[in-house]
Amino acid sequence: MGLTQAAFYLHVPFCRRKCPYCDFYSVPFADTRKIPEKAFLAALKKEVELHAEEVSSYQFVTFYVGGGTPSLLSAGFYEELFDFLAKRLNFEPFEATIEANPSSLNEEKLISYRKIFNRISIGAQSFKDKGLLALGRLHTVFQVKKAFLRARAAGFENISLDLIYGWPGQQKEDLVEELDILLSLGPEHVSCYELTLEPETRMYEWYQKGKLNMPSEEEIVSFYWLIHDFLTQQGFEHYEISNYARRDYECRHNLFYWEARPYLGLGPAAASFLDSRRIKNVEDLNLYLEPLEKGVLPPHEEEILDAEKRFREAVILGLRKLKGINVAEYERRFGFNVFSYYGESLSRLLDQGLLEYCQGYLRLSKRGILLANVVARELV
Ligand code: SF4
């Protein structure tokens, strides 16, 4: 029997400082020399060993290192890990991405990273220094530009830039200027996220105390469409709610998630989805490292999804792609027809103009894109 294609994700749980809006799992190391790189590598290798048999029927075709701040780790770390993965698993990624922070990149590191990765995602976040300040980032716009040009010079032909919109005090004119700068750099891919204030973050607390001048909901909607119009007019395809790509530069790794295909995630807080099984590692560096030192898997949550739940999740994930879901293909893959399965509730979403059906595809309408959460709540 042939191997099933799958994605491989690695979560690097280290940052220099916690950004005030961030709720991803990461541990701040003001002195990055204290990052336990060796112990982390040893733990990862052990984790791979412990999963090796169970994932022997998968061929890992994408590799994505996210975080945290993966660019805090040395190229040697990734070289050793990559070699190990190639020996222990069916690991031949055609797309290998590293997320990078502009303040932790230099020429030498980029040249070494390029030997392992063929795609880099630079966390620019804003192209205005006052935006970076409002977001509590450590870098400047100058550093973003420098990092981008150095990545290009190091041979990265596939560069993605992250942009956060809706930061405190942001005006339409700021966003227009930001998009101009972003475009002038010439990325192949752009991810644009609305700043969301997650409970348990410092920014949320500041907001609760009335210390933040957040853009209104109407402004946020207008920012979303401004970005859409700007990037699509410049030849980018808006292929997922928050993502834009030049032709053939969609993030193949993330497409695995949106197409409900299997993935293995390693590292603290990483999630996997394999054979209807969802696994989520503990969000604690020590609780992750210690058991692995003794040769056992770290604490994790596990859930088995039945056929209906898998299907419903796949529908919600698939609707994130602007192309939508191919109804016949979903029926073949999951054994359910979207229309007969959802019946009334789907008709209602179609009548309300949140979804549309066109040439075999069910997709979010223009109005539905910004109400994707409402649609997801109905279909979950
Ligand atoms: S660098 Fe990224 S992962 Fe780290 S705290 Fe900031 S936003 Fe979160």
Side-chain angles (χ1 to χ4, degrees), residues 14-15 17-19 21-24 26 67-69 101 137:
F14 312 113
C15 287
R17 193 178 73 183
K18 200 75 199 161
C19 300
Y21 59 89
C22 176
D23 77 335
F24 290 123
S26 69
T69 309
N101 205 320
R137 301 294 306 205

Side-chain angles (χ1 to χ4, degrees), residues 14 17 23 25 41 43 46 53 56 59 72 76 101 103 121 153 207 213 220 227 229 248 254 277 297 299 322:
F14 312 113
R17 193 178 73 183
D23 77 335
Y25 177 67
L41 182 58
K46 196 72 224 172
E53 201 186 317
S56 59
Q59 183 187 23
L72 289 177
N101 205 320
S103 60
S121 171
Y207 177 69
N213 167 28
I220 292 292
I227 294 168
D229 292 346
D248 295 332
N254 285 342
R277 215 155 61 94
L297 282 174
L322 267 61

